[in-house]
Amino acid sequence: MIGGGGHCRSVLDAIRRMGCYGEVAVTDPDFQKQTGFLGIEAYPTDDVLPELKRRGFAEAFVCVGSVKNTRIRERLYQMALDIGFCISNVVDPSAVVSEDVRLGRGIFIGKGAIVNAGSHIGDMAIVNTGALVEHGCFIGEFSHIAAGAVLCGDVRTGGHVLIGAGATVIQGVSVGNHAIVGAGSTVLRDVEEGAVAVGIVKG
């Protein structure tokens, strides 16, 4: 697990609930000590990752969130790939994900989230606690669907998009690359690349 902030705690809790991993280690340059983080092995540097790979850790997961920007997540993801880790998906057991959903890699789907049939979730996307991704949606890579957000049917987001907490995007709307939809907003029309959409967004 690369990154030890708040998002890491959510991911670690999901991993424990999944019950499919044995030894877990966390790396984060902000750590001041190497042990005791939530009872697991922790290291204050990402430089230890090659050694962990040699020790037999086969899978990695980037646990840095993406509310402000996705550049750090993207860099850490590429670093893990270059070292040779398999990049896992973490899906909390309480989430409901249709069998007819295509998942990339490095995806986190949090507690109580729903991803419905025919949707596609791109690499390194986050579908956070209680978010709803309805049928036929396409979520681009490194995008973050924040807690409680609702994407109605056939919504498409580009890459590196943030849909804020509690926002609603109605059916058929497209949200361009690097766009932000503010928390609690209601989006009734397409959002252009790089735009910030807040409030009731209509044509």
Side-chain angles (χ1 to χ4, degrees):
M1 299 176 68
I2 305 171
H7 185 56
C8 175
R9 293 175 182 270
S10 295
V11 174
L12 179 58
D13 189 59
I15 286 174
R16 285 174 164 163
R17 290 157 59 88
M18 290 164 66
C20 59
Y21 292 101
E23 189 176 0
V24 177
V26 174
T27 67
D28 191 312
D30 289 334
F31 285 140
Q32 300 301 312
K33 56 184 180 179
Q34 294 187 347
T35 58
F37 178 74
L38 296 179
I40 63 176
E41 196 168 11
Y43 298 88
T45 174
D46 295 331
D47 294 340
V48 74
L49 288 169
E51 174 60 25
L52 292 175
K53 182 68 169 61
R54 288 190 291 271
R55 281 175 47 189
F57 285 87
E59 299 183 42
F61 193 85
V62 176
C63 297
V64 175
S66 63
V67 171
K68 294 182 180 179
N69 66 69
T70 58
R71 289 190 297 272
I72 296 174
R73 282 175 57 78
E74 193 168 14
R75 177 180 62 80
L76 294 174
Y77 169 67
Q78 189 59 56
M79 179 179 67
L81 285 177
D82 291 344
I83 292 169
F85 285 108
C86 174
I87 308 299
S88 308
N89 291 328
V90 175
V91 179
D92 190 278
S94 67
V96 178
V97 180
S98 167
E99 294 181 3
D100 184 31
V101 168
R102 289 185 296 152
L103 297 177
R105 56 186 174 181
I107 294 162
F108 176 67
I109 301 179
K111 289 182 177 65
I114 298 173
V115 184
N116 226 327
S119 292
H120 171 91
I121 310 297
D123 292 347
M124 295 295 293
I126 298 170
V127 180
N128 229 325
T129 306
L132 170 59
V133 177
E134 258 299 348
H135 61 81
C137 289
F138 182 97
I139 308 302
E141 63 180 6
F142 293 94
S143 290
H144 181 180
I145 312 305
V150 175
L151 304 188
C152 298
D154 301 310
V155 168
R156 297 183 65 86
T157 83
H160 306 264
V161 166
L162 171 63
I163 308 295
T168 298
V169 183
I170 68 160
Q171 62 273 10
V173 163
S174 294
V175 180
N177 296 328
H178 299 278
I180 295 172
V181 172
S185 297
T186 300
V187 179
L188 308 175
R189 61 160 173 82
D190 291 351
V191 177
E192 296 178 356
E193 181 171 343
V196 176
V198 295
I200 299 177
V201 183
K202 56 186 179 180

